[in-house]
Amino acid sequence: MSIQWYPGHMTRARRAIAESMPIQDVIIEVLDARMPRSSENPVVAELRGQKPCIKVLNKSDLADPAVTRAWLRHLEAEPPAAPDGATPGGKVLALALSATQSSEARTRIPELCKRLAPQRSGPGRVVRAMIVGIPNVGKSTIINVLMERKVAKVGDEPAVTKSQQLVTLKSGIVLSDNPGILWPKIGDEAASYRLAVGGAIPDTAIDYESVALFAARYFLKRYPERLVERYKLKELPATALELITEIGRRRGCLRSGGAVDLHKASDLLVHDFRAGRLGRISLEAPPAPADSA
Ligand code: G4P
């Protein structure tokens, strides 16, 4: 899939993150729980070097709970990244969150920050932490929860266009009120599709029907019962195109003349997924643990 989108602020955002990295004790990398690997950006590992990291799997209310548990185990057990090829990266702790459903972030994130930077958590000391991640994973929502302020969308503006305000939280964590915004790694085709299905790549930049076909193929394989239930299907269509056509027929997505409007039907499927109307679905699972036998 070719994606006609390239965030122009990439270099400046990267520079801004690199510049504030030296003063940070812990990096909080927010990922989409439905696709933790696809929503990661390798630049985080590269820039953080030895610094410890909390990988937050946000939107876990939308993800398959068993798959999320497997991701948490996998991310914590993964050998640390070695950005310069010589020294291992810092320790990783992983946490599943649902920032719109609960304020758990307010207690859990400071707790993990203190575990990862014990040298900074004595009386009168503070842990400095920076939140980073690609657009739409919930960074602003988490910052709002941590700062105990009324949820106001910070938006996807590059951090560099706003002055960085450092805020000391009640828990003793010093946090910037602007997240470090990275770009999705759109080089990997399957990851691009997942990001597009989840909404991290603007709809205007993608071929909507091919994204819906990708989603339909995956749902048919992994979550067929959800499709049957949601769209009241009498039998499971054999192909992704047949599924989208059937959804269009059942939901009245028709052009004049009665042909199914595939664009409308595609839109319906993708938005049903994004809103959780197909139930809790993960778009990727971690690799199976190596066979110890
Ligand atoms: P960002 O800063 O990383 O770009 O993400 P942001 O916090 O702006 O959140 C992006 C969208 O994801 C928002 O929805 C937000 O409400 C939603 N979101 C954040 N965390 C969670 C979560 O844990 N679970 C679920 N289900 N959704 C979450 P939106 O539709 O773009 O905005 P809004 O209408 O909700 O304000």
Side-chain angles (χ1 to χ4, degrees):
M1 175 177 58
S2 94
I3 294 174
Q4 306 302 319
W5 179 66
Y6 188 86
H9 59 274
M10 265 188 199
T11 316
R12 282 182 302 145
R14 182 194 166 112
R15 198 182 311 129
I17 293 173
E19 274 167 12
S20 66
M21 194 60 84
I23 65 153
Q24 305 301 334
D25 300 305
V26 176
I27 304 307
I28 301 167
E29 184 181 13
V30 184
L31 304 171
D32 185 325
R34 298 164 301 174
M35 47 185 137
R37 188 97 303 157
S38 297
S39 56
E40 253 177 355
N41 186 304
V43 163
V44 175
E46 183 197 319
L47 294 181
R48 80 178 166 89
Q50 299 287 325
K51 297 206 189 273
C53 178
I54 304 172
K55 296 208 182 240
V56 175
L57 274 54
N58 191 41
K59 305 198 182 185
S60 62
D61 53 300
L62 298 173
D64 185 328
V67 179
T68 300
R69 283 195 295 276
W71 272 115
L72 293 176
R73 284 193 299 272
H74 178 79
L75 291 169
E76 291 194 349
E78 218 170 22
D84 58 8
T87 46
K91 187 172 172 55
V92 168
L93 291 177
L95 169 70
L97 274 188
S98 177
T100 46
Q101 318 276 310
S102 113
S103 57
E104 203 192 350
R106 204 173 293 152
T107 49
R108 294 302 311 279
I109 290 182
E111 189 186 303
L112 297 187
C113 282
K114 287 175 184 168
R115 259 172 67 191
L116 285 171
Q119 76 285 6
R120 307 275 320 161
S121 54
R125 299 192 139 197
V126 291
V127 180
R128 286 161 302 191
M130 173 165 59
I131 293 193
V132 297
I134 66 167
N136 205 44
V137 287
K139 298 178 298 299
S140 315
T141 311
I142 291 175
I143 288 173
N144 285 331
V145 171
L146 285 170
M147 291 184 179
E148 298 187 46
R149 67 184 176 200
K150 201 165 162 272
V151 173
K153 202 165 161 67
V154 175
D156 292 342
E157 288 295 308
V160 285
T161 63
K162 298 168 187 162
S163 60
Q164 296 272 342
Q165 296 271 336
L166 294 180
V167 183
T168 305
L169 306 179
K170 283 183 194 151
S171 49
I173 308 297
V174 175
L175 195 73
S176 159
D177 75 348
N178 272 319
I181 297 171
L182 289 157
W183 51 98
K185 45 172 188 194
I186 51 181
D188 169 342
E189 188 167 79
S192 307
Y193 275 114
R194 290 184 200 106
L195 290 162
V197 174
I201 295 174
D203 287 349
T204 46
I206 58 176
D207 169 9
Y208 217 73
E209 281 156 52
S210 71
V211 168
L213 282 171
F214 174 89
R217 211 171 296 125
Y218 180 81
F219 299 155
L220 277 170
K221 193 167 155 202
R222 302 277 177 185
Y223 297 95
E225 71 291 348
R226 309 286 182 83
L227 297 168
V228 169
E229 194 186 323
R230 173 77 191 159
Y231 302 111
K232 310 275 178 271
L233 302 173
K234 291 204 171 59
E235 57 186 41
L236 203 62
T239 67
L241 183 59
E242 282 169 34
L243 172 64
I244 292 175
T245 309
E246 185 58 21
I247 291 172
R249 202 175 291 132
R250 290 184 164 265
R251 292 299 170 95
C253 307
L254 303 175
R255 294 180 186 281
S256 55
V260 169
D261 183 334
L262 287 177
H263 189 86
K264 265 194 192 159
S266 297
D267 189 82
L268 206 137
L269 176 67
V270 169
H271 282 92
D272 276 355
F273 165 75
R274 288 182 189 168
R277 289 188 284 265
L278 293 170
R280 298 174 71 175
I281 286 181
S282 293
L283 293 179
E284 63 183 346
D291 195 348
S292 54

PDB file of all heavy atoms in Angstrom, residues 61-95:
ATOM      1  N   ASP A  61      -8.645  -1.429  26.524  1.00  0.00           N
ATOM      2  CA  ASP A  61     -10.086  -1.748  26.556  1.00  0.00           C
ATOM      3  C   ASP A  61     -10.567  -2.232  25.185  1.00  0.00           C
ATOM      4  O   ASP A  61     -11.614  -2.873  25.083  1.00  0.00           O
ATOM      5  CB  ASP A  61     -10.907  -0.518  26.973  1.00  0.00           C
ATOM      6  CG  ASP A  61     -10.604   0.706  26.119  1.00  0.00           C
ATOM      7  OD1 ASP A  61      -9.438   1.144  26.095  1.00  0.00           O
ATOM      8  OD2 ASP A  61     -11.532   1.220  25.449  1.00  0.00           O
ATOM      9  N   LEU A  62      -9.810  -1.911  24.129  1.00  0.00           N
ATOM     10  CA  LEU A  62     -10.217  -2.304  22.775  1.00  0.00           C
ATOM     11  C   LEU A  62      -9.486  -3.566  22.305  1.00  0.00           C
ATOM     12  O   LEU A  62      -9.835  -4.146  21.277  1.00  0.00           O
ATOM     13  CB  LEU A  62      -9.931  -1.162  21.788  1.00  0.00           C
ATOM     14  CG  LEU A  62     -10.672   0.166  22.029  1.00  0.00           C
ATOM     15  CD1 LEU A  62     -10.156   1.241  21.082  1.00  0.00           C
ATOM     16  CD2 LEU A  62     -12.180  -0.024  21.839  1.00  0.00           C
ATOM     17  N   ALA A  63      -8.443  -3.952  23.029  1.00  0.00           N
ATOM     18  CA  ALA A  63      -7.596  -5.063  22.575  1.00  0.00           C
ATOM     19  C   ALA A  63      -8.010  -6.384  23.210  1.00  0.00           C
ATOM     20  O   ALA A  63      -8.631  -6.405  24.278  1.00  0.00           O
ATOM     21  CB  ALA A  63      -6.142  -4.754  22.916  1.00  0.00           C
ATOM     22  N   ASP A  64      -7.648  -7.464  22.559  1.00  0.00           N
ATOM     23  CA  ASP A  64      -7.927  -8.817  23.049  1.00  0.00           C
ATOM     24  C   ASP A  64      -7.117  -9.035  24.344  1.00  0.00           C
ATOM     25  O   ASP A  64      -5.878  -8.983  24.313  1.00  0.00           O
ATOM     26  CB  ASP A  64      -7.485  -9.791  21.936  1.00  0.00           C
ATOM     27  CG  ASP A  64      -7.818 -11.232  22.247  1.00  0.00           C
ATOM     28  OD1 ASP A  64      -7.811 -11.609  23.432  1.00  0.00           O
ATOM     29  OD2 ASP A  64      -8.060 -11.989  21.288  1.00  0.00           O
ATOM     30  N   PRO A  65      -7.788  -9.251  25.487  1.00  0.00           N
ATOM     31  CA  PRO A  65      -7.050  -9.302  26.763  1.00  0.00           C
ATOM     32  C   PRO A  65      -5.965 -10.379  26.799  1.00  0.00           C
ATOM     33  O   PRO A  65      -4.884 -10.150  27.350  1.00  0.00           O
ATOM     34  CB  PRO A  65      -8.133  -9.602  27.804  1.00  0.00           C
ATOM     35  CG  PRO A  65      -9.443  -9.399  27.136  1.00  0.00           C
ATOM     36  CD  PRO A  65      -9.246  -9.440  25.660  1.00  0.00           C
ATOM     37  N   ALA A  66      -6.226 -11.540  26.194  1.00  0.00           N
ATOM     38  CA  ALA A  66      -5.213 -12.618  26.241  1.00  0.00           C
ATOM     39  C   ALA A  66      -3.985 -12.211  25.435  1.00  0.00           C
ATOM     40  O   ALA A  66      -2.843 -12.465  25.848  1.00  0.00           O
ATOM     41  CB  ALA A  66      -5.808 -13.914  25.684  1.00  0.00           C
ATOM     42  N   VAL A  67      -4.213 -11.549  24.311  1.00  0.00           N
ATOM     43  CA  VAL A  67      -3.077 -11.123  23.479  1.00  0.00           C
ATOM     44  C   VAL A  67      -2.298 -10.013  24.195  1.00  0.00           C
ATOM     45  O   VAL A  67      -1.068  -9.986  24.181  1.00  0.00           O
ATOM     46  CB  VAL A  67      -3.564 -10.661  22.077  1.00  0.00           C
ATOM     47  CG1 VAL A  67      -2.415 -10.185  21.216  1.00  0.00           C
ATOM     48  CG2 VAL A  67      -4.320 -11.787  21.370  1.00  0.00           C
ATOM     49  N   THR A  68      -3.016  -9.140  24.874  1.00  0.00           N
ATOM     50  CA  THR A  68      -2.328  -8.060  25.616  1.00  0.00           C
ATOM     51  C   THR A  68      -1.454  -8.658  26.719  1.00  0.00           C
ATOM     52  O   THR A  68      -0.310  -8.236  26.903  1.00  0.00           O
ATOM     53  CB  THR A  68      -3.354  -7.062  26.209  1.00  0.00           C
ATOM     54  OG1 THR A  68      -4.104  -6.507  25.124  1.00  0.00           O
ATOM     55  CG2 THR A  68      -2.677  -5.944  26.977  1.00  0.00           C
ATOM     56  N   ARG A  69      -1.969  -9.660  27.409  1.00  0.00           N
ATOM     57  CA  ARG A  69      -1.155 -10.292  28.466  1.00  0.00           C
ATOM     58  C   ARG A  69       0.110 -10.894  27.864  1.00  0.00           C
ATOM     59  O   ARG A  69       1.204 -10.782  28.414  1.00  0.00           O
ATOM     60  CB  ARG A  69      -1.969 -11.377  29.191  1.00  0.00           C
ATOM     61  CG  ARG A  69      -2.967 -10.808  30.192  1.00  0.00           C
ATOM     62  CD  ARG A  69      -3.486 -11.894  31.137  1.00  0.00           C
ATOM     63  NE  ARG A  69      -4.264 -12.914  30.443  1.00  0.00           N
ATOM     64  CZ  ARG A  69      -5.567 -12.802  30.147  1.00  0.00           C
ATOM     65  NH1 ARG A  69      -6.239 -11.722  30.506  1.00  0.00           N
ATOM     66  NH2 ARG A  69      -6.206 -13.765  29.512  1.00  0.00           N
ATOM     67  N   ALA A  70      -0.041 -11.511  26.692  1.00  0.00           N
ATOM     68  CA  ALA A  70       1.127 -12.115  26.028  1.00  0.00           C
ATOM     69  C   ALA A  70       2.134 -11.022  25.635  1.00  0.00           C
ATOM     70  O   ALA A  70       3.353 -11.207  25.775  1.00  0.00           O
ATOM     71  CB  ALA A  70       0.679 -12.897  24.792  1.00  0.00           C
ATOM     72  N   TRP A  71       1.625  -9.874  25.168  1.00  0.00           N
ATOM     73  CA  TRP A  71       2.525  -8.759  24.810  1.00  0.00           C
ATOM     74  C   TRP A  71       3.277  -8.247  26.036  1.00  0.00           C
ATOM     75  O   TRP A  71       4.468  -7.939  25.963  1.00  0.00           O
ATOM     76  CB  TRP A  71       1.736  -7.607  24.191  1.00  0.00           C
ATOM     77  CG  TRP A  71       1.571  -7.726  22.710  1.00  0.00           C
ATOM     78  CD1 TRP A  71       0.412  -7.901  22.015  1.00  0.00           C
ATOM     79  CD2 TRP A  71       2.609  -7.650  21.713  1.00  0.00           C
ATOM     80  NE1 TRP A  71       0.670  -7.953  20.668  1.00  0.00           N
ATOM     81  CE2 TRP A  71       2.003  -7.796  20.456  1.00  0.00           C
ATOM     82  CE3 TRP A  71       3.993  -7.483  21.778  1.00  0.00           C
ATOM     83  CZ2 TRP A  71       2.739  -7.787  19.265  1.00  0.00           C
ATOM     84  CZ3 TRP A  71       4.726  -7.471  20.598  1.00  0.00           C
ATOM     85  CH2 TRP A  71       4.096  -7.619  19.356  1.00  0.00           C
ATOM     86  N   LEU A  72       2.588  -8.127  27.171  1.00  0.00           N
ATOM     87  CA  LEU A  72       3.249  -7.601  28.375  1.00  0.00           C
ATOM     88  C   LEU A  72       4.418  -8.501  28.756  1.00  0.00           C
ATOM     89  O   LEU A  72       5.525  -8.031  29.032  1.00  0.00           O
ATOM     90  CB  LEU A  72       2.257  -7.506  29.546  1.00  0.00           C
ATOM     91  CG  LEU A  72       1.134  -6.467  29.393  1.00  0.00           C
ATOM     92  CD1 LEU A  72       0.163  -6.550  30.567  1.00  0.00           C
ATOM     93  CD2 LEU A  72       1.701  -5.050  29.286  1.00  0.00           C
ATOM     94  N   ARG A  73       4.168  -9.814  28.712  1.00  0.00           N
ATOM     95  CA  ARG A  73       5.249 -10.760  29.044  1.00  0.00           C
ATOM     96  C   ARG A  73       6.380 -10.635  28.029  1.00  0.00           C
ATOM     97  O   ARG A  73       7.552 -10.594  28.372  1.00  0.00           O
ATOM     98  CB  ARG A  73       4.712 -12.203  29.023  1.00  0.00           C
ATOM     99  CG  ARG A  73       3.878 -12.567  30.252  1.00  0.00           C
ATOM    100  CD  ARG A  73       3.660 -14.078  30.322  1.00  0.00           C
ATOM    101  NE  ARG A  73       2.945 -14.596  29.154  1.00  0.00           N
ATOM    102  CZ  ARG A  73       1.616 -14.661  29.047  1.00  0.00           C
ATOM    103  NH1 ARG A  73       0.855 -14.245  30.043  1.00  0.00           N
ATOM    104  NH2 ARG A  73       1.040 -15.167  27.969  1.00  0.00           N
ATOM    105  N   HIS A  74       5.995 -10.569  26.772  1.00  0.00           N
ATOM    106  CA  HIS A  74       6.991 -10.530  25.701  1.00  0.00           C
ATOM    107  C   HIS A  74       7.873  -9.271  25.791  1.00  0.00           C
ATOM    108  O   HIS A  74       9.097  -9.353  25.704  1.00  0.00           O
ATOM    109  CB  HIS A  74       6.278 -10.557  24.343  1.00  0.00           C
ATOM    110  CG  HIS A  74       7.207 -10.469  23.187  1.00  0.00           C
ATOM    111  ND1 HIS A  74       7.928 -11.548  22.721  1.00  0.00           N
ATOM    112  CD2 HIS A  74       7.576  -9.412  22.414  1.00  0.00           C
ATOM    113  CE1 HIS A  74       8.680 -11.161  21.707  1.00  0.00           C
ATOM    114  NE2 HIS A  74       8.489  -9.867  21.495  1.00  0.00           N
ATOM    115  N   LEU A  75       7.243  -8.121  25.999  1.00  0.00           N
ATOM    116  CA  LEU A  75       8.007  -6.864  25.987  1.00  0.00           C
ATOM    117  C   LEU A  75       8.979  -6.794  27.166  1.00  0.00           C
ATOM    118  O   LEU A  75      10.082  -6.267  27.045  1.00  0.00           O
ATOM    119  CB  LEU A  75       7.054  -5.657  26.007  1.00  0.00           C
ATOM    120  CG  LEU A  75       6.236  -5.477  24.721  1.00  0.00           C
ATOM    121  CD1 LEU A  75       5.140  -4.433  24.923  1.00  0.00           C
ATOM    122  CD2 LEU A  75       7.123  -5.077  23.545  1.00  0.00           C
ATOM    123  N   GLU A  76       8.549  -7.340  28.315  1.00  0.00           N
ATOM    124  CA  GLU A  76       9.440  -7.284  29.478  1.00  0.00           C
ATOM    125  C   GLU A  76      10.579  -8.301  29.368  1.00  0.00           C
ATOM    126  O   GLU A  76      11.651  -8.089  29.912  1.00  0.00           O
ATOM    127  CB  GLU A  76       8.650  -7.499  30.775  1.00  0.00           C
ATOM    128  CG  GLU A  76       7.742  -6.315  31.068  1.00  0.00           C
ATOM    129  CD  GLU A  76       7.205  -6.304  32.487  1.00  0.00           C
ATOM    130  OE1 GLU A  76       7.358  -7.312  33.207  1.00  0.00           O
ATOM    131  OE2 GLU A  76       6.614  -5.266  32.878  1.00  0.00           O
ATOM    132  N   ALA A  77      10.309  -9.401  28.643  1.00  0.00           N
ATOM    133  CA  ALA A  77      11.332 -10.455  28.552  1.00  0.00           C
ATOM    134  C   ALA A  77      12.282 -10.236  27.379  1.00  0.00           C
ATOM    135  O   ALA A  77      13.342 -10.854  27.315  1.00  0.00           O
ATOM    136  CB  ALA A  77      10.642 -11.823  28.393  1.00  0.00           C
ATOM    137  N   GLU A  78      11.876  -9.359  26.468  1.00  0.00           N
ATOM    138  CA  GLU A  78      12.668  -9.140  25.263  1.00  0.00           C
ATOM    139  C   GLU A  78      14.066  -8.653  25.639  1.00  0.00           C
ATOM    140  O   GLU A  78      14.198  -7.780  26.496  1.00  0.00           O
ATOM    141  CB  GLU A  78      11.984  -8.036  24.439  1.00  0.00           C
ATOM    142  CG  GLU A  78      12.032  -8.283  22.987  1.00  0.00           C
ATOM    143  CD  GLU A  78      11.123  -7.283  22.257  1.00  0.00           C
ATOM    144  OE1 GLU A  78      10.798  -6.206  22.783  1.00  0.00           O
ATOM    145  OE2 GLU A  78      10.755  -7.604  21.141  1.00  0.00           O
ATOM    146  N   PRO A  79      15.097  -9.182  24.971  1.00  0.00           N
ATOM    147  CA  PRO A  79      16.433  -8.657  25.274  1.00  0.00           C
ATOM    148  C   PRO A  79      16.463  -7.161  24.984  1.00  0.00           C
ATOM    149  O   PRO A  79      15.890  -6.717  23.991  1.00  0.00           O
ATOM    150  CB  PRO A  79      17.352  -9.399  24.294  1.00  0.00           C
ATOM    151  CG  PRO A  79      16.524 -10.459  23.663  1.00  0.00           C
ATOM    152  CD  PRO A  79      15.074 -10.142  23.890  1.00  0.00           C
ATOM    153  N   PRO A  80      17.081  -6.376  25.859  1.00  0.00           N
ATOM    154  CA  PRO A  80      17.069  -4.929  25.645  1.00  0.00           C
ATOM    155  C   PRO A  80      17.701  -4.576  24.306  1.00  0.00           C
ATOM    156  O   PRO A  80      18.635  -5.247  23.864  1.00  0.00           O
ATOM    157  CB  PRO A  80      17.916  -4.390  26.804  1.00  0.00           C
ATOM    158  CG  PRO A  80      18.122  -5.509  27.739  1.00  0.00           C
ATOM    159  CD  PRO A  80      17.876  -6.784  27.013  1.00  0.00           C
ATOM    160  N   ALA A  81      17.166  -3.533  23.697  1.00  0.00           N
ATOM    161  CA  ALA A  81      17.725  -3.091  22.416  1.00  0.00           C
ATOM    162  C   ALA A  81      19.144  -2.587  22.635  1.00  0.00           C
ATOM    163  O   ALA A  81      19.464  -2.049  23.687  1.00  0.00           O
ATOM    164  CB  ALA A  81      16.867  -1.967  21.870  1.00  0.00           C
ATOM    165  N   ALA A  82      19.993  -2.797  21.688  1.00  0.00           N
ATOM    166  CA  ALA A  82      21.368  -2.301  21.777  1.00  0.00           C
ATOM    167  C   ALA A  82      21.592  -1.325  20.622  1.00  0.00           C
ATOM    168  O   ALA A  82      22.103  -1.686  19.584  1.00  0.00           O
ATOM    169  CB  ALA A  82      22.340  -3.464  21.717  1.00  0.00           C
ATOM    170  N   PRO A  83      21.170  -0.070  20.837  1.00  0.00           N
ATOM    171  CA  PRO A  83      21.159   0.882  19.723  1.00  0.00           C
ATOM    172  C   PRO A  83      22.527   1.076  19.072  1.00  0.00           C
ATOM    173  O   PRO A  83      22.619   1.232  17.876  1.00  0.00           O
ATOM    174  CB  PRO A  83      20.679   2.187  20.359  1.00  0.00           C
ATOM    175  CG  PRO A  83      20.220   1.854  21.731  1.00  0.00           C
ATOM    176  CD  PRO A  83      20.762   0.517  22.104  1.00  0.00           C
ATOM    177  N   ASP A  84      23.588   1.082  19.881  1.00  0.00           N
ATOM    178  CA  ASP A  84      24.884   1.322  19.260  1.00  0.00           C
ATOM    179  C   ASP A  84      25.619   0.015  18.958  1.00  0.00           C
ATOM    180  O   ASP A  84      26.773   0.001  18.597  1.00  0.00           O
ATOM    181  CB  ASP A  84      25.753   2.216  20.153  1.00  0.00           C
ATOM    182  CG  ASP A  84      25.959   1.591  21.532  1.00  0.00           C
ATOM    183  OD1 ASP A  84      25.561   0.424  21.724  1.00  0.00           O
ATOM    184  OD2 ASP A  84      26.511   2.268  22.403  1.00  0.00           O
ATOM    185  N   GLY A  85      24.911  -1.090  19.117  1.00  0.00           N
ATOM    186  CA  GLY A  85      25.487  -2.388  18.775  1.00  0.00           C
ATOM    187  C   GLY A  85      26.438  -2.915  19.831  1.00  0.00           C
ATOM    188  O   GLY A  85      26.891  -4.044  19.770  1.00  0.00           O
ATOM    189  N   ALA A  86      26.733  -2.130  20.866  1.00  0.00           N
ATOM    190  CA  ALA A  86      27.715  -2.578  21.847  1.00  0.00           C
ATOM    191  C   ALA A  86      27.100  -2.687  23.239  1.00  0.00           C
ATOM    192  O   ALA A  86      27.252  -3.685  23.923  1.00  0.00           O
ATOM    193  CB  ALA A  86      28.878  -1.600  21.887  1.00  0.00           C
ATOM    194  N   THR A  87      26.357  -1.671  23.632  1.00  0.00           N
ATOM    195  CA  THR A  87      25.828  -1.662  24.995  1.00  0.00           C
ATOM    196  C   THR A  87      24.347  -1.992  24.985  1.00  0.00           C
ATOM    197  O   THR A  87      23.609  -1.514  24.134  1.00  0.00           O
ATOM    198  CB  THR A  87      26.016  -0.258  25.604  1.00  0.00           C
ATOM    199  OG1 THR A  87      25.593   0.688  24.634  1.00  0.00           O
ATOM    200  CG2 THR A  87      27.434  -0.003  26.000  1.00  0.00           C
ATOM    201  N   PRO A  88      23.899  -2.809  25.914  1.00  0.00           N
ATOM    202  CA  PRO A  88      22.480  -3.116  25.942  1.00  0.00           C
ATOM    203  C   PRO A  88      21.669  -1.904  26.383  1.00  0.00           C
ATOM    204  O   PRO A  88      22.151  -1.059  27.127  1.00  0.00           O
ATOM    205  CB  PRO A  88      22.378  -4.245  26.975  1.00  0.00           C
ATOM    206  CG  PRO A  88      23.591  -4.117  27.819  1.00  0.00           C
ATOM    207  CD  PRO A  88      24.647  -3.452  26.988  1.00  0.00           C
ATOM    208  N   GLY A  89      20.441  -1.802  25.893  1.00  0.00           N
ATOM    209  CA  GLY A  89      19.555  -0.699  26.288  1.00  0.00           C
ATOM    210  C   GLY A  89      19.071  -0.907  27.711  1.00  0.00           C
ATOM    211  O   GLY A  89      19.331  -1.929  28.336  1.00  0.00           O
ATOM    212  N   GLY A  90      18.359   0.096  28.233  1.00  0.00           N
ATOM    213  CA  GLY A  90      17.904   0.027  29.619  1.00  0.00           C
ATOM    214  C   GLY A  90      16.729  -0.921  29.814  1.00  0.00           C
ATOM    215  O   GLY A  90      16.147  -1.416  28.857  1.00  0.00           O
ATOM    216  N   LYS A  91      16.407  -1.112  31.076  1.00  0.00           N
ATOM    217  CA  LYS A  91      15.333  -2.038  31.452  1.00  0.00           C
ATOM    218  C   LYS A  91      13.968  -1.556  30.936  1.00  0.00           C
ATOM    219  O   LYS A  91      13.717  -0.355  30.862  1.00  0.00           O
ATOM    220  CB  LYS A  91      15.313  -2.148  32.969  1.00  0.00           C
ATOM    221  CG  LYS A  91      14.360  -3.191  33.496  1.00  0.00           C
ATOM    222  CD  LYS A  91      14.540  -3.372  34.992  1.00  0.00           C
ATOM    223  CE  LYS A  91      13.457  -4.269  35.593  1.00  0.00           C
ATOM    224  NZ  LYS A  91      13.352  -5.578  34.961  1.00  0.00           N
ATOM    225  N   VAL A  92      13.117  -2.531  30.642  1.00  0.00           N
ATOM    226  CA  VAL A  92      11.771  -2.208  30.154  1.00  0.00           C
ATOM    227  C   VAL A  92      10.723  -2.821  31.095  1.00  0.00           C
ATOM    228  O   VAL A  92      10.819  -3.987  31.462  1.00  0.00           O
ATOM    229  CB  VAL A  92      11.557  -2.779  28.732  1.00  0.00           C
ATOM    230  CG1 VAL A  92      10.091  -2.711  28.317  1.00  0.00           C
ATOM    231  CG2 VAL A  92      12.427  -2.032  27.717  1.00  0.00           C
ATOM    232  N   LEU A  93       9.755  -2.005  31.493  1.00  0.00           N
ATOM    233  CA  LEU A  93       8.569  -2.536  32.178  1.00  0.00           C
ATOM    234  C   LEU A  93       7.378  -2.233  31.288  1.00  0.00           C
ATOM    235  O   LEU A  93       7.342  -1.184  30.621  1.00  0.00           O
ATOM    236  CB  LEU A  93       8.389  -1.884  33.548  1.00  0.00           C
ATOM    237  CG  LEU A  93       9.430  -2.225  34.617  1.00  0.00           C
ATOM    238  CD1 LEU A  93       9.153  -1.448  35.907  1.00  0.00           C
ATOM    239  CD2 LEU A  93       9.467  -3.726  34.923  1.00  0.00           C
ATOM    240  N   ALA A  94       6.419  -3.136  31.247  1.00  0.00           N
ATOM    241  CA  ALA A  94       5.262  -2.932  30.369  1.00  0.00           C
ATOM    242  C   ALA A  94       3.990  -2.867  31.203  1.00  0.00           C
ATOM    243  O   ALA A  94       3.861  -3.538  32.231  1.00  0.00           O
ATOM    244  CB  ALA A  94       5.175  -4.063  29.355  1.00  0.00           C
ATOM    245  N   LEU A  95       3.056  -2.027  30.746  1.00  0.00           N
ATOM    246  CA  LEU A  95       1.833  -1.776  31.498  1.00  0.00           C
ATOM    247  C   LEU A  95       0.672  -1.621  30.526  1.00  0.00           C
ATOM    248  O   LEU A  95       0.772  -0.871  29.559  1.00  0.00           O
ATOM    249  CB  LEU A  95       2.045  -0.456  32.277  1.00  0.00           C
ATOM    250  CG  LEU A  95       0.860   0.206  32.948  1.00  0.00           C
ATOM    251  CD1 LEU A  95       0.403  -0.632  34.143  1.00  0.00           C
ATOM    252  CD2 LEU A  95       1.245   1.608  33.432  1.00  0.00           C
TER     253      LEU A  95
END
